[in-house]
Amino acid sequence: MQRNNRIRSRFSWPLRLGAALCITLAPAAAHASATGSTATAAAPRQAFFGELHVHTMNSPDAFMLNVRTTPDDAYRFAQGEAIPHISGVTIQLRAPLDFVAITDHSEYMGILPRLFAPQGELAALPIAARLTDKDPERRQAAVLEVLMSMGDNTPMPALVDEALRQSIWQEYVRSAERYYRPGEFSTLIGYEWTSSGALEEVNLHRNVIFRSSDVPKQPFSSFDSVEPRALWAWLDEQRKHGIEGMAIAHNSNLSNGLMFPTEVAFGGEEIDAAYAALRQRNEPLVEIAQIKGTSETHPLLSPNDEWAGFELLEDLLGGRGTQGEVKGSYARDAWLAGLVMQEQQGFNPYRFGVIAASDSHNSGSQVEEDNYHGKIGSADGTPESRRGGSFINTHHIKYSSAGLAGVWASENTREALYDALARRETFGTSGPRISVRFFAGTDWPADLLAQADWAQHAYTHGVTMGGELPESMGDSAPEFLLWAAKDPSSAWLQRVQIVKGWVEDGAAREAVFDVGCADGLSPDPATHRCPDNGATVSLETCDFDRHKGDGQIAARWRDPTFNPAQPAFYYARVLENPTCRWSTWDSLRTGLPLPEDVPATLQERAWTSPIWYQP
């Protein structure tokens, strides 16, 4: 409980940020659906790929690291255009995204560019004059003053003026409206609530996404409160006024065990049914992967899962090398804890689905391993700088190349995408556009997967990702339908898996089942593992094996361990054949040696939201 109330020291990341960088600064519904869908889809649902976590120059940390691209640039990037990068190159995706949300930090959102603008609306402020002073020492002192006000959570009144905040926020809304093309490209309006001001090195951040252009007058920031429950209560209040929004937690891996507590929440509140209901109403999703590592599980939590160590980043925020608590920091552990809480206390705060994102601070999400340019401006914008560390993180080399959100929706509009997010019909990928469907039910026709309309049948007679198996299933073991298709630009698929978590004799249990193998192979009935298909990748050229693996894998699987008296959840995981990690691509292009503290290759993957069974 002491960790819950720990106050950030004055020597926090804003201070180290200023010390490291200020000399280089030149003057210048969740509520919409809480139970998932078991009904027939009104229209065929498609997989849309997008990004709900991108920062621009309007985020203070990005601006301090010399990022100068705008929300308009971020929208153009998401639509497939090239934009400039601090390293001097341009960055561009191979294919445009279907949707995007620009999520700059709500704390001092858009303020620093205005303070540095000679003729801007804030130019007359004394702090603006000192920030642009020709004397580097006076300029440094001014930068530290601004950053310390963030670190101490004591904002400068002039920089959080209500009219100013509303004006900046309305610019975001207008920018999103300019680029919104319903049916073709969706711009969801959102921001990041960044609750770092009262915690030493701990991440409890959330992205806030709205269903439409009907949004609050200004964002709720951590200057208003650093407690997640206050954010959820604010979302409840907005809903009373017809404004629908949700929170999406990210980087639980860096929360030091505070993202998914089981006894006392941050701030000292007891976790009870009211807490669970408040959280469930307002936070239906968690980022399972992004630049700052994956949050699925950890080898210490899942020692029998051979794939549990994928793209882990364990150093807490701030670049000190402090490793956080594992328990309470990962999604699978939270799902298990929720089952136990439901059985023992009658409520479950952790019925959430998953997406993935980038958290890029360069206005563009570099989700392709061979097209990665770092997380944030000049801190890691070159292959050489990515070999070191900084005030942000001890090891930039351990950053991932981000991820994408997958959403099954009937059309590419804000409302349809949001409703899919709210009902948790979502999945996340580590970057490739792997499509994955996941259904559960009973009494499927024997030839269902051979039928052209099998997915529509599964919607009508089963439950999809994010939903709950009905009690009417009786004692029948559920049968799962799992289908995955490769990204046309990425490697072939190697295997598809179902991860099960359940409660037995009051204790949490988990198991991983390979249920579909590539190359005509079959899972071993004793180990539930596919044989190795022998796929390789060249470390000299990064060419991956094009003769092993499948373009699609479909499987139907009945749980051999099912007990109708035991609560359980199931989610799917899809693995590609091995390919080169971004750090290996850096070495290949620059002649630098392969780094020793990260693997040379990785297996890109996708994760679905779970399906729950509650007796």
Side-chain angles (χ1 to χ4, degrees):
M1 194 181 305
Q2 290 179 346
R3 283 190 291 110
N4 289 9
N5 298 313
R6 185 171 53 196
I7 302 301
R8 173 180 289 274
S9 73
R10 291 180 60 83
F11 300 99
S12 56
W13 75 263
L15 177 58
R16 295 194 297 280
L17 172 60
L21 297 175
C22 56
I23 295 177
T24 70
L25 285 172
H31 183 255
S33 174
T35 60
S37 173
T38 59
T40 303
R45 291 176 183 167
Q46 308 171 58
F48 295 104
F49 291 93
E51 165 71 281
L52 296 176
H53 195 169
V54 178
H55 297 263
T56 73
M57 66 182 287
N58 284 337
S59 287
D61 48 354
F63 189 86
M64 289 296 182
L65 286 158
N66 302 305
V67 173
R68 295 297 182 267
T69 43
T70 66
D72 279 22
D73 291 319
Y75 288 127
R76 292 192 298 105
F77 178 89
Q79 292 180 95
E81 296 183 37
I83 64 172
H85 184 266
I86 183 62
S87 63
V89 303
T90 58
I91 57 176
Q92 186 174 20
L93 290 169
R94 288 196 186 92
L97 298 174
D98 297 313
F99 62 90
V100 71
I102 310 306
T103 54
D104 281 309
H105 300 291
S106 54
E107 297 73 24
Y108 288 163
M109 176 188 284
I111 292 296
L112 291 182
R114 286 164 172 77
L115 286 172
F116 278 81
Q119 307 301 322
E121 62 217 272
L122 301 182
L125 291 177
I127 187 65
R130 286 186 282 129
L131 283 168
T132 56
D133 196 295
K134 294 182 179 180
D135 184 292
E137 290 189 4
R138 287 196 291 269
R139 195 162 69 240
Q140 176 176 348
V143 170
L144 290 177
E145 185 178 345
V146 173
L147 296 177
M148 283 298 299
S149 71
M150 294 177 64
D152 289 341
N153 216 45
T154 54
M156 297 179 177
L159 303 188
V160 290
D161 173 76
E162 185 170 337
L164 175 62
R165 292 178 65 195
Q166 291 181 10
S167 172
I168 293 172
W169 178 235
Q170 287 306 310
E171 286 185 20
Y172 272 79
V173 176
R174 288 193 294 271
S175 181
E177 291 291 270
R178 283 197 301 274
Y179 289 91
Y180 182 34
R181 301 196 311 275
E184 299 179 32
F185 179 72
S186 292
T187 57
L188 284 82
I189 300 170
Y191 70 92
E192 180 175 328
W193 174 82
T194 314
S195 59
S196 293
L199 288 166
E200 178 63 27
E201 301 182 311
V202 170
N203 186 310
L204 289 178
H205 305 177
R206 269 80 172 173
N207 290 325
V208 178
I209 305 296
F210 297 101
R211 187 174 186 267
S212 69
S213 58
D214 187 7
V215 299
K217 292 182 178 180
Q218 63 189 34
F220 182 91
S221 81
S222 67
F223 291 153
D224 299 304
S225 176
V226 297
E227 295 189 25
R229 61 179 175 177
L231 173 65
W232 302 328
W234 178 78
L235 286 168
D236 266 355
E237 187 64 28
Q238 300 309 307
R239 201 168 290 118
K240 293 178 183 178
H241 300 288
I243 299 173
E244 183 63 46
M246 69 170 67
I248 303 175
H250 70 86
N251 284 121
S252 60
N253 59 314
L254 304 180
S255 70
N256 204 17
L258 297 181
M259 187 68 82
F260 306 121
T262 56
E263 296 179 2
V264 178
F266 172 69
E269 179 186 15
E270 181 181 357
I271 296 177
D272 55 16
Y275 172 93
L278 178 65
R279 186 165 187 157
Q280 288 289 282
R281 272 198 309 277
N282 294 290
E283 196 163 289
L285 298 171
V286 167
E287 281 181 20
I288 200 167
Q290 62 130 269
I291 283 179
K292 297 197 299 295
T294 60
S295 298
E296 180 197 9
T297 191
H298 189 283
L300 293 177
L301 297 169
S302 305
N304 296 320
D305 182 351
E306 302 94 311
W307 297 272
F310 178 70
E311 290 294 288
L312 294 180
L313 181 65
E314 300 173 88
D315 293 352
L316 297 180
L317 301 177
R320 300 184 185 187
T322 307
Q323 293 201 353
E325 294 286 338
V326 172
K327 194 72 175 171
S329 295
Y330 289 85
R332 190 191 300 177
D333 181 60
W335 289 326
L336 288 166
L339 291 184
V340 174
M341 295 168 76
Q342 180 72 54
E343 183 173 81
Q344 296 179 354
Q345 302 176 68
F347 56 82
N348 181 355
Y350 303 128
R351 288 269 303 264
F352 56 82
V354 299
I355 60 165
S358 75
D359 195 10
S360 168
H361 283 56
N362 295 316
S363 301
S365 47
Q366 298 112 77
V367 298
E368 300 148 350
E369 299 291 333
D370 62 346
N371 192 23
Y372 178 71
H373 295 87
K375 169 183 167 62
I376 180 168
S378 53
D380 63 346
T382 64
E384 292 75 17
S385 62
R386 290 193 281 275
R387 297 262 165 163
S390 70
F391 60 91
I392 300 175
N393 191 272
T394 311
H395 305 287
H396 291 159
I397 203 75
K398 292 187 177 180
Y399 281 146
S400 297
S401 66
L404 289 176
V407 176
W408 287 100
S410 57
E411 60 181 358
N412 188 355
T413 62
R414 284 174 180 158
E415 292 78 10
L417 293 168
Y418 183 95
D419 292 347
L421 294 167
R423 67 176 178 263
R424 302 174 301 224
E425 196 175 348
T426 58
F427 58 98
T429 86
S430 57
R433 301 182 194 197
I434 302 169
S435 297
V436 54
R437 286 191 183 276
F438 187 48
F439 295 94
T442 57
D443 302 323
W444 302 115
D447 64 343
L448 178 57
L449 285 176
Q451 298 178 15
D453 63 345
W454 73 268
Q456 190 65 29
H457 181 97
Y459 274 118
T460 305
H461 300 286
V463 177
T464 188
M465 60 185 80
E468 180 176 326
L469 285 162
E471 292 180 314
S472 59
M473 189 175 61
D475 292 343
S476 300
E479 190 173 14
F480 294 86
L481 302 178
L482 174 53
W483 171 89
K486 73 181 290 293
D487 179 335
S489 299
S490 193
W492 300 91
L493 303 182
Q494 184 191 81
R495 69 186 72 209
V496 295
Q497 305 174 314
I498 292 178
V499 181
K500 177 187 179 182
W502 72 99
V503 177
E504 184 175 332
D505 298 327
R509 302 280 189 267
E510 63 176 65
V512 178
F513 300 89
D514 287 2
V515 299
C517 314
D519 304 303
L521 301 172
S522 299
D524 184 295
T527 64
H528 307 293
R529 292 291 181 271
C530 295
D532 185 355
N533 71 342
T536 60
V537 56
S538 168
L539 297 185
E540 284 70 41
T541 64
C542 280
D543 288 336
F544 56 80
D545 199 324
R546 301 175 189 275
H547 303 286
K548 301 288 178 66
D550 288 353
Q552 296 184 35
I553 301 178
R556 55 189 300 170
W557 175 80
R558 191 178 298 276
D559 179 7
T561 66
F562 180 72
N563 182 332
Q566 294 173 346
F569 64 81
Y570 304 83
Y571 69 95
R573 187 169 64 186
V574 181
L575 274 70
E576 284 187 354
N577 284 334
T579 53
C580 277
R581 193 177 187 272
W582 68 260
S583 46
T584 303
W585 278 104
D586 270 4
S587 295
L588 182 64
R589 290 168 176 150
T590 62
L592 294 167
L594 287 173
E596 297 180 356
D597 47 358
V598 291
T601 65
L602 79 173
Q603 285 185 270
E604 304 272 24
R605 60 198 63 190
W607 306 263
T608 71
S609 296
I611 294 172
W612 284 266
Y613 169 72
Q614 181 63 47

